[in-house]
Amino acid sequence: MDGKQDWPQDLRLRKNEDFNRVYRKGKSAFNRDFQIVGCKNSRGVTRYGISLSKKFGKAHDRNRMKRQVKEIIRQNKEAFPKGYDFVILPRQKAKGQDYRWLEKSLFHCLSFWSPKN
């Protein structure tokens, strides 16, 4: 399995201008493991971007975290609100956590965009 079918290009934030628009116009939610910045888009689909700096750690740490976050998104697409662009920024404390903890922590941040709020 090459993974591209599970993470289609039209669901990814790819351009720097898209990331900058989310940072400028978006609302932020965070906990000890993640910061999520999200804003409405005009496309009607939810798009995702993951951003990690070199301060997070070595390349294998950054790649592992990106793979884990992508898998959480892939398995829980329906839980994300429709019509938003999200930039997910894992924090240093997330590095040593297991998959289930990361999943729970990510959805704790995501609850900021739930219909109740």
Side-chain angles (χ1 to χ4, degrees):
M1 185 161 103
D2 85 20
K4 292 199 185 264
Q5 290 121 347
D6 295 332
W7 192 254
Q9 286 190 1
D10 60 333
L11 299 182
R12 290 189 285 175
L13 293 176
R14 296 181 60 100
K15 296 182 179 175
N16 195 29
E17 62 196 49
D18 290 335
F19 278 86
N20 288 335
R21 182 182 55 78
V22 173
Y23 289 135
R24 230 180 21 258
K25 295 183 177 182
K27 302 280 189 234
S28 184
F30 54 90
N31 60 20
R32 72 173 224 150
D33 298 314
F34 291 101
Q35 177 181 1
I36 300 177
V37 183
C39 73
K40 278 227 177 258
N41 66 31
S42 59
R43 298 171 182 255
V45 295
T46 301
R47 299 186 308 164
Y48 314 94
I50 302 167
S51 180
L52 286 157
S53 73
K54 287 187 177 181
K55 284 196 265 185
F56 187 82
K58 296 190 182 267
H60 63 270
D61 293 327
R62 296 191 306 268
N63 291 337
R64 182 172 193 264
M65 180 57 61
K66 285 190 276 189
R67 283 194 311 269
Q68 287 178 317
V69 171
K70 285 178 183 180
E71 183 63 14
I72 291 169
I73 292 169
R74 187 187 70 79
Q75 289 187 350
N76 300 286
K77 281 184 203 167
E78 68 285 344
F80 283 81
K82 302 288 183 250
Y84 279 85
D85 288 341
F86 289 107
V87 175
I88 300 167
L89 302 132
R91 293 180 163 195
Q92 198 62 249
K93 297 247 183 193
K95 195 188 308 184
Q97 303 299 332
D98 69 346
Y99 178 84
R100 293 291 170 209
W101 178 269
L102 292 174
E103 186 176 43
K104 184 178 176 183
S105 185
L106 186 69
F107 283 104
H108 173 259
C109 283
L110 191 65
S111 66
F112 180 80
W113 286 275
S114 70
K116 294 176 248 172
N117 291 336

